[in-house]
Amino acid sequence: MATKTSICLFYLTLSKNQRIFRWATIATLAVVNIAGLALTLLNIFQCRPAGAAFADPTPDSAHCTDIVTVYLSSAPVNIITDLALLFLPMPILTAMRLPRNEKIILIVTFSFGAFVAVVDVVRIAYLQSASVARLQNTTGSRVKDEGDFSWIASLSFMWSAVEVHVGIICACVPGVKPLATRIFPRLLGRITHSGDRYPIGGLKEVDRRSKLHSSNHASPPVSPARARGADSSSGNAQMGMLDFLTTPETIPITHDPQSIVNAAKKKRAASLTVFDFVNVRNPKSMVKMSNREALGPLAVVTILFFLWGFAYGLLNVLNSQFQLIVRMSNGQLIGLHSAYFGAYFVAPLTFGQVIFRRYGFKATFIAGLCIYGCGTLVFWPSAVLASFPAFLISNFLVGLGVSTLEVAGNPFIALCGPPEYAEVRLNISQAVQAIGTVFSPILARKVLFKNVLDAPSLIDIQWTYLGIALFDFVLAVVFFYFPIPEASDDDLEEMAGKRVDVNKKTIGGWPVVYLTLTLGIITQFCYVGAQESVSGLFQDFVKQVKPNAELSPNDYMSIGHSAFAIGRFLSAAGCVVVKPRRILLFLFTGLIITSFLCIKISGYNGVAMIILTMFFESGIFSITFAMCIRGLGAFTKTGSIYLTAATSGGAIVPAIMSAVSRSRGVQYGFCVIAAFFTCAAVLPVYLEVFPAAKAQVDPVRECLVPPSPSSSHSTIPSRTKKRRFLFSGLTIRRRKVVSELPTTHDYEKNRPR
C-alpha cells in the first residue's frame, strides 16, 4: 500500500494540467488506500476474539476467517491497481515531443511496473495452491495439520516479500536518472541524425537561443540544464518532475545554434510519427465516410461485438456450473441473469451517457473495456469464496462494462458510413457477436469448464478470466491510439437536415422521429426480454418435448445459436435489396407464429419450432436500432442511450417466464413469450400504417446527376436526385452510380447570355 501510494503521489507531480490523468490518479490512490486499510484490519481482526489469531493452537471457542482465502479474494484489486499504475502515465509519455531514443527509455522506465504485476500473478498462483491445499488438507505428499498456516502459505509469503521489494525498486527507478545520465551520457542525450543536440524547448527554444547568440557573438553557448534553470529562476518556479526526467543535465551544446536549428527542423520533418509513435491526425467525420473509408474503423469496433457475445456465452455456462456446485435455486439463477441485464438500465442512464455525450465514442469504448476487465477479475474472489452475492456482483459489473460498450458500439456501426447501409452494417456486426455466442459455450463446456465439478476446481477458472481481463485492458490501450472517427452533434444535425422535410412531419401532433423512437424503445424492451426467456428455457423445453432426443440439449442450443447467427447474415443481405421495415415485419410475423406453435407442438417438430424461433429473432434488434435513430439529428446519441437501456427487458421478462413455467409447465410458459413478441410487433405495424413513418425510416440514397438539357437557362451545374424504389416500393436499387460532373464546356454552354 505504501509503495503504490508513493507512486501515485509521484504521478500527481508529473502534470497539473492533465485533468483526466490527475483525477484517475486520485481515484487509484483512493482505491489503493481503502483496500489496503480494509486488508490490514482483516489481518488484525481475523479472529473473534482478536487475540485468538496469535494463539497456537487456536482455541476451539474462537471463530477465525481463512486468511489465505482473504488474500486470494483481494487479488483483483492488486492486479487492477498494478495495471492502472502501469498504463496511467503512458498517454502523457507517448504524447511528448522527444527524440525516439529518449522517449523509448522514458517509457521503459515507467514500464518497470509490469514486473510488479507479473510477481503479483506468481504470488497469487501460490496463494491458490495454498487455498486448494487447505481445502484438501494436504500439500503434495505430506499431510499437514489444517491449521499449520506457516507451512501451507510459505511460498506465497515469500513472493509477497518479493512483490513489495520489486515495487520499491520500480518506484525508485525514475529518481536514478541523474546517475544513469552520468554513466551513459550518450544513451540519454538528445541525439539527432547529425550528432547535434537540442534542448527540451524544441524549435522555439532553439530559435530564441539562436537570436541571443546572434545578438552577442562573444557569449558562449549555454547548456540546456542551465537555460532551463535560468528560465525557472526568473519566474520564481521550480523545475517540474517531468522536466527533471527529460532534461539532460551534464551535456553542453557545443555546436553553432544555426546548425542546431537546421538539424532540429530536419529531424522534426522526417520523423513526426516516430516522435508520436502513432499518427494522431484527426480522422474524418464518420457520417461523411464512404464504405471503403469506414471499413477499417468498422472492423476494429466489430471486435467488441465478438467480445461481448463471447462473454455472454461464458457467463451462461459459468452460472450453470456454479448453480450445480453451490446448489443454487432457480430463483438465484434468474437473479444472476437479472443482475447482468439490470446493469443495462444503470450504465447507459448514468455514467455511460455522460462519457458518451461529453467525450465521444473512443472514451466510451475505453471506459467499457476497463469496467468489463475489472468485472471479469471479480470472478476470481467469487470462485474462491463460492459465494452467491460475489457472483451477483461480478455479473453486474460485467453487465456494466458490456452495456457501456453497447452505448457507443451500436450507434458507431450504424453511423459510420453511408446512412442507407446502416441496417446492413449493424446486422453484420451483430452477426459477429452471435458467432462469439456460438463458440464460447462450446469452448467452455469442452475445454475451460470441463473438469469444474467441485469448489476447488472452480478456482481454476480464474486463469481464464485473468486472460480475458488482460485482453480487455490491452484492447483499451489499442483503442486509445487507434484513430477512431467521431461524429459531433453538428455533423448529425447536418446529416438529418438533408431530409428535413421528412423528419419534421408529425403524426397526431407528435414529431414522427420521436414517436418512432418511443415505439422502438418499447419494441426493444419486449423483444429482448422475450428473447432472453427463449434462451433461458431452451434446454428445459427440449427435455420436455423430446426427452430421448439423439442430441443433447446443449447440442440443440448450439444449433439454435448457429441459426441465430445465420439469420443475422441473411438479414444483412436482405437489407441490401429489400426495405428494412419489410424485413422487420417478416421476422416478427415468423417469430409470433413459431412462438405460439411451441405451446402445442412436441417431439422433433417442437425442437424445430424453437430453433426457428431463434432464427426469426436474428435481425430484429439491429434493424430496430438503426431505423429508430435515423433522422434524430443532434438527439441521435441520446436516442441510442435510451435504446440501449431498453435492453434491460432481459432482467424482467425471464423472471415472469420462470414463475409461469414452474407453475404451469415450460410449454405453457411460452404464452408469456408469445405475448411479449406480439407487443414488440407494434413498431413494424406502425411503420406499415403511417406514410410519414415509412418515409422517415426508409433508407434513401442521394447522388449527383447531370443537369437536364431543358435547364440551359440555369447556372446550377448539377442537382441532387433521390433513388427511386421499384416494384411498388418493395425493392431498392443498390447499383453504384457514377456522378457525371459537368465540364468547363458545360458551364460555358449553360451560362445565360
Side-chain angles (χ1 to χ4, degrees), residues 357-369:
R357 300 179 65 179
R358 180 173 297 183
Y359 301 106
F361 290 92
K362 176 183 285 190
T364 310
F365 290 145
I366 295 173
L369 286 169

Side-chain angles (χ1 to χ4, degrees), residues 153-372:
S154 58
L155 291 177
S156 62
F157 288 157
M158 180 192 73
W159 283 103
S160 298
V162 172
E163 179 189 9
V164 172
H165 288 83
V166 171
I168 294 174
I169 293 173
C170 294
C172 296
V173 164
V176 188
K177 185 251 181 183
L179 178 62
T181 303
R182 176 71 66 177
I183 299 175
F184 306 105
R186 294 191 61 83
L187 182 62
L188 296 179
R190 299 194 177 125
I191 304 172
T192 63
H193 286 299
S194 60
D196 297 321
R197 306 177 187 277
Y198 57 93
I200 191 172
L203 290 176
K204 293 182 179 180
E205 181 72 11
V206 173
D207 291 338
R208 184 182 68 81
R209 297 182 188 180
S210 178
K211 292 178 181 179
L212 292 175
H213 179 79
S214 61
S215 63
N216 186 7
H217 296 283
S219 59
V222 184
S223 69
R226 293 182 181 179
R228 175 67 65 180
D231 294 340
S232 301
S233 61
S234 62
N236 296 326
Q238 295 181 353
M239 179 184 291
M241 182 58 70
L242 200 58
D243 292 336
F244 170 76
L245 290 173
T246 59
T247 303
E249 305 186 25
T250 59
I251 305 174
I253 298 178
T254 58
H255 298 284
D256 180 72
Q258 187 59 39
S259 64
I260 298 175
V261 174
N262 296 335
K265 288 181 178 179
K266 179 179 179 181
K267 180 71 175 178
R268 292 272 175 161
S271 58
L272 178 63
T273 56
V274 173
F275 283 4
D276 296 333
F277 280 83
V278 292
N279 193 342
V280 292
R281 294 178 301 173
N282 292 327
K284 186 178 181 180
S285 175
M286 66 169 65
V287 298
K288 299 178 182 179
M289 285 184 167
S290 65
N291 286 323
R292 185 182 297 273
E293 293 172 331
L295 185 60
L298 289 174
V300 174
V301 175
T302 301
I303 296 175
L304 299 180
F305 283 77
F306 181 83
L307 188 63
W308 69 61
F310 190 85
Y312 179 72
L314 285 182
L315 277 181
N316 284 339
V317 179
L318 177 61
N319 290 340
S320 300
Q321 294 295 106
F322 184 72
Q323 181 187 20
L324 295 176
I325 292 173
V326 302
R327 298 178 181 178
M328 287 192 309
S329 63
N330 289 329
Q332 288 178 318
L333 186 62
I334 293 295
L336 294 178
H337 194 85
S338 298
Y340 177 82
F341 280 95
Y344 274 80
F345 184 81
V346 176
L349 299 180
T350 54
F351 62 87
Q353 68 167 337
V354 174
I355 299 173
F356 185 40
R357 300 179 65 179
R358 180 173 297 183
Y359 301 106
F361 290 92
K362 176 183 285 190
T364 310
F365 290 145
I366 295 173
L369 286 169
C370 292
I371 297 172
Y372 180 26

Side-chain angles (χ1 to χ4, degrees), residues 534 538 541 590-591 593-599 601-616 670:
V534 173
F538 187 99
F541 179 85
L591 191 58
I593 293 174
T594 54
S595 59
F596 272 110
L597 290 176
C598 287
I599 301 174
I601 298 179
S602 300
Y604 283 116
N605 292 331
V607 176
M609 285 301 104
I610 194 172
I611 292 176
L612 282 177
T613 300
M614 298 189 71
F615 173 80
F616 285 115
F670 264 78

Side-chain angles (χ1 to χ4, degrees), residues 606-653:
V607 176
M609 285 301 104
I610 194 172
I611 292 176
L612 282 177
T613 300
M614 298 189 71
F615 173 80
F616 285 115
E617 290 173 352
S618 55
I620 292 177
F621 182 92
S622 306
I623 296 174
T624 301
F625 193 99
M627 288 195 306
C628 290
I629 65 173
R630 181 170 284 132
L632 289 176
F635 195 68
T636 301
K637 293 183 179 179
T638 304
S640 302
I641 291 168
Y642 292 153
L643 286 169
T644 305
T647 311
S648 58
I652 298 175
V653 181

